Amino acid sequence: MTEPAFEPRIIGFLCNWCSYAGADKAGAAQVPYPPHVHFVRVMCTGRIDPHFVLQAFAQGADGVVILACHPGDCHYKEGNLRALQRHRLLLRLLGQLGIGEERCRFDYVSAAEGDKLAAVVGDLVKMIRAAGPLPVRPEQEIGRD
Amino acid sequence: MANKPQLSIYWAASCGGCEIAILNLHERLLDLDAAFDLVFCPCLLDTKKKDIEALPDRSIALTLVNGALRTGENREMARLLRRKSQLLIGFGACAHQGGIPALANLDPAGPLPAIYLEGPTTPNPARTLPLPETTVPEGTLQLPPFLGRVAPLAEEVAVDYFIPGCPPEPEQVWKALDPVIQGKPLPPLGSALGAGRSAVCAECGRRKREKKISRFHRTWEIVPDPEQCLLDQGLVCMGPATRDGCGALCPQVSMPCTGCYGPPEGVADQGAAMVAALGSILDIGPITGLSPEEIAARIDEVLGSLPDAAGTFYKYSLAGSLLKGRLP
Ligand code: SF4
Ligand code: SF4
Ligand code: FES
């Protein structure tokens, strides 16, 4: 019997003003991209609390992606810079917790870049497929009875 | 004497500092003694597990458990004391969120290889490891097994309240115990007793300005200004991500807060809170015209001066954090 193919579950936090509109654009233009990313729309990537990302992994997401307005284009001036700063720091923390960089991505997608959105998502899904499912803790980890 | 309510104090995976914290109550120990009959405390008394087993269920009025759950014995005692106690309070950082012992969760291989096989001062050519059961000519010896990871007390038993801190400050301990002794109404189950709800920064008297940090410093690298916020000066102070209640003791004497009171009320993860706080105050200089890669590199350069994010942000709360430790 063959194992069922691994279909990654990925959570995407997309800025309303750019990347989410970019995803709409990709949809409207019928640019195909894999369906594994569950998009969560945020008003700005600066709104993304690191808790959201940890919570996604704690609940079994195989990957997380944050898509922001290009540098200089954030509607709230520096929200995307703060998001990137938090992301770079979170990567260090995640690394120590056994979650590699390939599972937590940050990129810029504008409202016009439907093609880029599809490319980023496609690439991410490929990388996470290669990395495999997020390791899970054994059910009875602290109990032996 | 026989009809005083009973008190028990247990240590699980802990250092003994929580017992010292109780001793630090000083003359109030007399009040504690007047209110309770101490029936169990491995640090002080010779009563045994079988003595507790012999008690009727819920006959102990108050049990203070300090320490994280590290071994099968810790877990068994937690269950037993829960059954025998009316009120069970998690005492100190380790019972609350794992404390320092929970840093072991950064190594999923468990403690045995590091201690018995890799220790440079532990020659062990036969590679002998302690086992839960060992047969010797006289019979079978048993040791409590290690759990798969260090866990907070509440992961195994219902904990009515917790008193945070490593160790909890005497004033805070008394603020928590006094209402119990007086029979006053207690806050909703699960609350922190004797501590605040906000962050250490809220009770820290240091002068704060808009923070911009272009480099972090270790405590031994600079002599901090005595009045300015330590984080402003590039010392990694956990004040913004730590529950208040201690009176900002450490920053008062120019040591950055290391986070011993755990996350503030309503904050699930001290590491996430610290990433949020630090991520907002980095100063990477002007970025106009830089490529995305160059911006990321600038950030990494500043972050390079901050070693061991997990050990710093989760010094006392790894077991209680969202990911509980390093994934296998
Ligand atoms: S960061 Fe530290 S020194 Fe600064 S206000 Fe907060 S507790 Fe005080
Ligand atoms: S300042 Fe921080 S580390 Fe120091 S006692 Fe208070 S909570 Fe604990
Ligand atoms: S508005 Fe798009 S990242 Fe801030």
Side-chain angles (χ1 to χ4, degrees):
Chain A
M1 217 180 86
T2 52
E3 290 265 312
F6 162 56
E7 300 298 341
R9 285 173 303 175
I10 301 168
I11 304 296
F13 295 104
L14 274 63
C15 165
N16 175 58
W17 302 109
C18 48
S19 323
Y20 199 81
D24 266 350
K25 175 137 186 175
Q30 301 197 347
V31 186
Y33 59 87
H36 303 83
V37 186
H38 302 269
F39 293 148
V40 178
R41 176 161 59 158
V42 291
M43 282 308 279
C44 169
T45 51
R47 171 65 183 90
I48 302 167
D49 189 309
H51 276 95
F52 300 172
V53 179
L54 290 175
Q55 192 67 260
F57 285 120
Q59 294 187 14
D62 301 303
V64 170
V65 59
I66 293 167
L67 297 178
C69 299
H70 281 270
D73 290 349
C74 172
H75 290 227
Y76 308 95
K77 265 177 92 179
E78 295 204 325
N80 54 356
L81 177 60
R82 296 203 168 181
L84 179 66
Q85 292 182 159
R86 291 185 184 135
H87 176 255
R88 300 304 302 176
L89 179 51
L90 192 58
L91 285 183
R92 290 169 179 256
L93 197 64
L94 288 173
Q96 288 182 279
L97 299 175
I99 298 179
E101 299 209 357
E102 70 284 359
R103 294 192 189 274
C104 191
R105 273 276 275 279
F106 184 102
D107 216 324
Y108 304 99
V109 171
S110 79
E113 294 175 322
D115 289 330
K116 180 165 181 195
L117 181 113
V120 169
V121 167
D123 185 53
L124 180 70
V125 171
K126 210 167 80 199
M127 298 228 345
I128 294 181
R129 261 193 214 285
L134 188 81
V136 284
R137 301 181 175 290
E139 190 67 19
Q140 279 299 311
E141 195 177 36
I142 71 155
R144 239 164 275 201
D145 51 24
Chain B
M1 164 125 176
N3 34 19
K4 270 199 279 181
Q6 297 185 330
L7 169 70
S8 84
I9 300 173
Y10 179 67
W11 51 14
S14 67
C15 68
C18 279
E19 274 77 9
I20 308 288
I22 293 172
L23 197 63
N24 276 348
L25 288 172
H26 297 308
E27 65 271 28
R28 280 183 172 144
L29 271 180
L30 300 175
D31 298 332
L32 194 67
D33 180 62
F36 292 107
D37 202 4
L38 185 59
V39 290
F40 181 65
C41 180
C43 177
L44 292 170
L45 304 178
D46 203 27
T47 36
K48 304 290 190 212
K49 182 178 160 212
K50 63 175 171 17
D51 304 317
I52 300 300
E53 283 168 334
L55 296 174
D57 283 359
R58 294 179 56 79
S59 60
I60 301 173
L62 172 63
T63 290
L64 305 176
V65 177
N66 65 68
L69 304 180
R70 190 8 149 190
T71 66
E73 180 190 16
N74 301 151
R75 192 182 50 186
E76 202 176 311
M77 289 307 295
R79 286 179 185 163
L80 175 65
L81 289 166
R82 173 69 276 186
R83 207 165 63 240
K84 300 296 174 184
S85 315
Q86 288 163 35
L87 201 60
L88 183 117
I89 295 183
F91 190 100
C94 302
H96 178 210
Q97 299 244 298
I100 302 233
L103 287 172
N105 288 1
L106 288 174
D107 182 3
L112 298 185
I115 296 169
Y116 290 91
L117 303 177
E118 292 149 24
T121 55
T122 315
N124 183 5
R127 302 182 72 75
T128 309
L129 289 175
L131 297 171
E133 287 201 348
T134 308
T135 310
V136 291
E138 293 81 3
T140 303
L141 301 174
Q142 292 184 319
L143 282 174
F146 279 100
L147 306 177
R149 71 180 144 81
V150 179
L153 185 59
E155 205 171 309
E156 190 60 40
V157 296
V159 179
D160 299 317
Y161 297 103
F162 60 91
I163 303 178
C166 180
E169 281 303 306
E171 281 310 308
Q172 304 295 330
V173 173
W174 194 249
K175 256 201 227 165
L177 293 184
D178 190 45
V180 177
I181 293 174
Q182 308 286 334
K184 290 194 194 129
L186 295 172
L189 286 179
S191 316
L193 289 184
R197 299 169 62 86
S198 181
V200 171
C201 295
E203 57 178 359
C204 173
R206 285 182 171 260
R207 204 167 359 93
K208 298 130 186 153
R209 60 169 159 84
E210 211 198 318
K211 298 182 172 35
K212 278 282 165 205
I213 298 171
S214 51
R215 185 193 187 293
F216 292 102
H217 301 283
R218 316 289 299 269
T219 42
W220 46 267
E221 287 175 323
I222 58 164
V223 178
D225 176 277
E227 272 153 34
Q228 189 77 35
C229 161
L230 298 172
L231 193 51
D232 287 355
Q233 302 179 61
L235 292 168
V236 182
C237 182
M238 290 284 293
T242 303
R243 185 188 284 272
D244 62 346
C246 66
L249 284 179
C250 302
Q252 251 182 54
V253 293
S254 288
M255 283 306 284
C257 168
T258 55
C260 82
Y261 267 55
E265 190 76 23
V267 173
D269 191 292
Q270 214 170 1
M274 205 52 194
V275 171
L278 293 186
S280 324
I281 57 177
L282 302 183
D283 179 7
I284 62 163
I287 55 163
T288 338
L290 296 186
S291 71
E293 293 73 29
E294 286 165 334
I295 299 175
R298 285 264 186 98
I299 297 171
D300 289 348
E301 204 182 307
V302 177
L303 294 178
S305 55
L306 194 165
D308 191 10
T312 308
F313 303 166
Y314 291 124
K315 188 165 179 182
Y316 306 91
S317 68
L318 187 59
S321 70
L322 286 169
L323 290 171
K324 303 185 169 90
R326 192 179 169 93
L327 294 181

